[in-house]
Amino acid sequence: MAARGVGLLSRLPMCAQRSQVLRPIHRLLSCPGTVAADARREQLSSGSTETGSEDRTPKKRFSEVQKERREQAQRTILILCPNKISEKKFLKYLSQHGPINNHFFFESFGLYAVVEFCQKESVASLQNLTRTPSMSTEAAIPFRSRFFNLKLKSSSDQTSGQSCIPCCNQSPPSSKKLFELLCDAESIDDQLNTLLKEFQLTEENTKLRYLTCSLIEDIAAAYFPDCAVRPFGSSVNSFGKLGCDLDMFLDLDEIGNFSAHKTSGNFLMEFQVKNVPSERIATQKILSVIGECLDNFGPGCVGVQKILNARCPLVRFSHQASGFQCDLTTNNRIALKSSELLYIYGALDSRVRAMVFSIRCWARAHSLTSSIPGAWITNFSLTMMVIFFLQRRSPPILPTLDYLKTLADAEDKCIIEGHNCTFICDLNRIKPSKNTETLELLLKEFFEFFGNFAFNKNSINIRQGREQNKPEPSPLHIQNPFETSLNISKNVSQSQLQKFVDLARESAWILHQEDKDHPSPSSNQPWGLAALLLPSITKSMSHDKKKRKKPPSERIKNLLESIKGSPENSTNTNGKRTVSTQA
Ligand code: GTP
Ligand code: MG
């Protein structure tokens, strides 16, 4: 059945192992029209809110979206293509195995295609006709995967000249582009919505995330048939930014579910009773073998690190083809439930995501957050702070978690490891807020609110939607919504918190000054959100020069010191602020 001159190789890990972990280089090109209409429809139906207007279409439950996406990913394949390829011939060849639902191309280390068949059987049909490299000649370890390598045998299958395949962009806009877009916006509200539009995960990027999980599931299934690998965190909670990591959860409960109704017999499966001293050790053992498996046999998995002694043990690796940095955990069901809760909050009101994206970008631009673990605030904590702030508005923009619990019915009941994680899952049953405040006002008020928050004595609590007395002396206390005795920001140091407070005050002040001076979107100066994302030093100095009679000399001195010789996006050991335009 294979078309003449075209051969597919099942993708093997050896070529990936040869190269080191490299950061992907993406090319910015427009998306193909082939998936656009479908993507638009799916984006709406999957609960992602349109910016600027309330979306009245019924929104899907988190579990429905996960199920649909997972099933879609199981019908999808990943192909490394030669650069000069005819899209038409490529699709014609693949269609021999069954109708194609949609496809797109992207660039990572080479040109890749993601092809979604209408039926799962098409994948098996293609696999059956695909050659596996021979061990003797290609030094490869055979693995039956859905990651293929297209080798064109005849030159007639190649297009002449440059490849004209349109590629989907997988990375956020450059700082320069972002500033241009923000400066061209008509209002601060428009700026926040623009930032959201530019940074949010695209339909294609989301598909690629689910596909990557599905490909990892194929590998994990070699050890644990019927397991599931599910994405969680910002990839699915609607707050994911292009380029964010891919958090995966190896779900072994599915295996138990197959025998859930067979409790009356005399037999127990031996694996279920194999004794290990503790659940943590069981988790470490499972992740250890999966880590080995990914390292040795995982097509495209490179730089595998087993971080088993962390509070939450994990396997970290790069999925070279998709370009995702992946964290695989197991026994982490509460995090999946947190993702569902954030998904609901993100879908309830279109202002939520616009605020969260802007605050996250603002924090990143000022090195308040970092991709390296340390004493900084995390994106997860920042999201909680925005949710809390929106619960505190009058009338509230978001309901409290306790209120969402009162709306829950029997099927929503969820207890994980003794923690009550119950809340309503059908977001269509939650009444929209009557609050009509603009994003501009909310942004200003956010900075004022946290610039003056009594962090020394109060804890942030989204369960009750009001501050509580701090139960322990950490500088920043944000109650874990489900494991309520835990603080999700325990790692944050006093100096990092102070930096956050100083920047929040400074940002509130800048927005107030602009109010007074009637900022001019038409002038060439960065204004509104663009001004807030600029390195503080430039901003402070120009503002101070123009407006302040007595500049706060200590702050300027610190800023000047920090800019000297500090690398972008880093914090020096003195805890002094460094500046960056990277959002
Ligand atoms: P990104 O920075 O975009 O990756 O945001 P993220 O929300 O995905 O954060 P991260 O990758 O650090 O963590 C993934 C998920 O793990 C989060 O969404 C939370 O559900 C959960 N998580 C992260 N940090 C904590 C924490 O300190 N406590 C608890 N309980 N859960 C956490
Ligand atoms: Mg993440």
Side-chain angles (χ1 to χ4, degrees):
M1 235 217 277
R4 215 164 58 85
V6 181
L8 281 172
L9 276 181
S10 207
R11 191 83 181 131
L12 295 155
M14 300 309 270
C15 59
Q17 284 175 352
R18 259 179 252 136
S19 53
Q20 293 169 338
V21 185
L22 299 166
R23 302 306 305 166
I25 305 160
H26 302 291
R27 194 176 61 179
L28 192 98
L29 279 170
S30 60
C31 293
T34 46
V35 291
D38 187 36
R40 200 81 217 111
R41 208 175 49 240
E42 284 190 17
Q43 250 175 5
L44 284 175
S45 63
S46 70
S48 64
T49 41
E50 280 288 278
T51 57
S53 63
E54 290 309 321
D55 172 20
R56 299 270 172 235
T57 42
K59 287 165 186 160
K60 288 187 181 168
R61 286 166 186 242
F62 181 76
S63 57
E64 286 172 318
V65 177
Q66 289 257 324
K67 195 170 162 217
E68 272 174 31
R69 293 277 189 190
R70 187 173 139 77
E71 191 273 325
Q72 188 178 59
Q74 286 167 343
R75 291 184 271 114
T76 306
I77 55 171
L78 181 64
I79 306 177
L80 174 60
C81 305
N83 274 331
K84 292 177 183 173
I85 184 185
S86 154
E87 186 174 3
K88 210 170 140 196
K89 282 188 187 171
F90 173 76
L91 292 176
K92 193 172 162 208
Y93 168 71
L94 288 171
S95 315
Q96 296 174 86
H97 298 278
I100 292 170
N101 208 21
N102 63 54
H103 75 284
F104 64 90
F105 292 90
F106 70 95
E107 283 211 338
S108 183
F109 294 102
L111 178 68
Y112 287 87
V114 170
V115 180
E116 183 196 323
F117 286 105
C118 295
Q119 289 134 11
K120 212 172 161 183
E121 293 69 38
S122 304
V123 176
S125 160
L126 179 64
Q127 278 175 326
N128 289 341
L129 279 184
T130 299
R131 186 170 71 83
T132 319
S134 79
M135 287 174 74
S136 53
T137 56
E138 290 165 276
I141 304 169
F143 186 85
R144 191 178 157 93
S145 80
R146 281 182 286 140
F147 181 7
F148 303 91
N149 192 348
L150 176 62
K151 301 264 189 208
L152 298 179
K153 289 177 189 155
S154 91
S155 55
S156 66
D157 291 313
Q158 299 189 2
T159 54
S160 53
Q162 281 285 315
S163 167
C164 54
I165 300 252
C167 286
C168 288
N169 176 42
Q170 304 291 325
S171 32
S174 66
S175 302
K176 186 168 172 281
K177 176 97 189 357
L178 177 67
F179 277 106
E180 280 167 14
L181 289 168
L182 294 182
C183 290
D184 285 349
E186 284 175 0
S187 61
I188 293 184
D189 280 46
D190 194 17
Q191 286 184 324
L192 268 78
N193 283 324
T194 300
L195 186 137
L196 170 61
K197 202 165 124 250
E198 292 296 318
F199 278 91
Q200 69 184 348
L201 300 183
T202 59
E203 169 64 16
E204 291 78 16
N205 196 273
T206 301
K207 277 191 169 152
L208 193 53
R209 284 170 189 269
Y210 278 87
L211 173 60
T212 306
C213 286
S214 188
L215 296 176
I216 300 303
E217 184 179 300
D218 287 351
I219 301 163
Y223 269 98
F224 302 106
D226 305 318
C227 70
V229 173
R230 307 183 191 283
F232 70 99
S234 60
S235 298
V236 297
N237 66 18
S238 80
F239 297 111
K241 196 176 98 173
L242 282 172
C244 69
D245 69 353
L246 173 55
D247 303 292
M248 301 174 177
F249 166 62
L250 173 67
D251 187 352
L252 300 175
D253 283 1
E254 290 288 310
I255 301 169
N257 289 344
F258 280 98
S259 56
H261 55 285
K262 299 173 196 156
T263 48
S264 55
N266 293 324
F267 292 97
L268 260 185
M269 269 183 217
E270 179 58 22
F271 83 89
Q272 287 175 335
V273 291
K274 181 148 186 164
N275 279 324
V276 276
S278 71
E279 207 167 327
R280 180 172 168 84
I281 292 178
T283 301
Q284 288 170 331
K285 279 180 189 283
I286 290 164
L287 286 176
S288 180
V289 294
I290 297 296
E292 284 298 312
C293 197
L294 290 174
D295 203 12
N296 290 307
F297 312 116
C301 300
V302 297
V304 179
Q305 288 172 269
K306 295 194 264 178
I307 309 172
L308 303 179
N309 288 324
R311 190 184 68 82
C312 180
L314 67 119
V315 175
R316 178 165 289 169
F317 60 96
S318 278
H319 191 257
Q320 209 173 24
S322 61
F324 296 135
Q325 180 72 34
C326 305
D327 280 352
L328 178 71
T329 54
T330 188
N331 197 12
N332 192 14
R333 194 165 287 280
I334 290 187
L336 202 63
K337 205 63 192 165
S338 300
S339 304
E340 179 170 4
L341 179 66
L342 294 194
Y343 166 86
I344 288 178
Y345 278 131
L348 280 180
D349 188 294
S350 63
R351 290 167 291 185
V352 181
R353 295 175 66 233
M355 279 293 289
V356 169
F357 273 72
S358 295
I359 297 301
R360 282 184 171 201
C361 278
W362 167 84
R364 184 72 171 147
H366 297 289
S367 305
L368 281 169
T369 51
S370 166
S371 51
I372 309 158
W376 357 103
I377 298 179
T378 62
N379 278 332
F380 183 55
S381 295
L382 284 172
T383 308
M384 291 293 175
M385 289 168 97
V386 176
I387 290 171
F388 181 73
F389 163 73
L390 297 175
Q391 290 174 333
R392 303 293 289 143
R393 301 308 296 161
S394 178
I397 293 179
L398 288 177
T400 65
L401 177 52
D402 274 344
Y403 177 70
L404 295 182
K405 191 174 155 199
T406 62
L407 296 180
D409 51 29
E411 63 165 346
D412 296 325
K413 190 167 179 202
C414 175
I415 311 284
I416 304 171
E417 293 157 19
H419 302 286
N420 194 334
C421 305
T422 305
F423 55 84
I424 184 168
C425 297
D426 180 0
L427 48 131
N428 299 301
R429 285 178 43 218
I430 308 167
K431 282 212 181 89
S433 164
K434 297 231 177 338
N435 181 306
T436 56
E437 288 170 319
T438 62
L439 284 170
E440 176 175 353
L441 180 76
L442 291 172
L443 190 66
K444 254 184 244 163
E445 296 279 315
F446 175 89
F447 291 129
E448 292 237 340
F449 183 80
F450 284 114
N452 296 302
F453 191 83
F455 287 107
N456 55 340
K457 61 176 187 9
N458 286 335
S459 160
I460 291 165
N461 182 316
I462 69 156
R463 182 164 274 285
Q464 299 185 15
R466 58 188 147 88
E467 42 271 44
Q468 303 277 294
N469 287 337
K470 267 204 301 196
E472 39 110 344
S474 306
L476 176 60
H477 193 282
I478 304 176
Q479 191 198 52
N480 183 324
F482 299 121
E483 294 165 277
T484 51
S485 62
L486 300 180
N487 172 12
I488 64 160
S489 50
K490 206 176 166 63
N491 61 312
V492 177
S493 65
Q494 184 58 47
S495 68
Q496 285 300 314
L497 176 64
Q498 195 53 49
K499 194 163 119 177
F500 171 86
V501 170
D502 289 348
L503 275 161
R505 287 181 184 170
E506 189 170 296
S507 298
W509 182 82
I510 288 165
L511 290 175
H512 274 292
Q513 285 304 115
E514 286 196 348
D515 250 1
K516 274 204 272 169
D517 297 354
H518 301 296
S520 49
S522 54
S523 79
N524 288 331
Q525 291 299 312
W527 58 280
L529 183 58
L532 299 187
L533 297 180
L534 273 179
S536 318
I537 182 68
T538 333
K539 206 169 50 196
S540 302
M541 286 174 73
S542 65
H543 269 279
D544 288 338
K545 237 199 244 168
K546 279 192 227 152
K547 305 200 171 68
R548 286 187 191 173
K549 287 189 184 126
K550 284 186 191 166
S553 54
E554 192 53 30
R555 188 184 54 173
I556 297 293
K557 204 174 106 204
N558 284 344
L559 287 169
L560 279 171
E561 272 177 23
S562 71
I563 200 168
K564 272 189 234 154
S566 302
E568 229 188 39
N569 277 337
S570 68
T571 303
N572 65 26
T573 47
N574 304 327
K576 290 194 178 117
R577 185 188 322 157
T578 60
V579 291
S580 157
T581 52
Q582 187 62 47

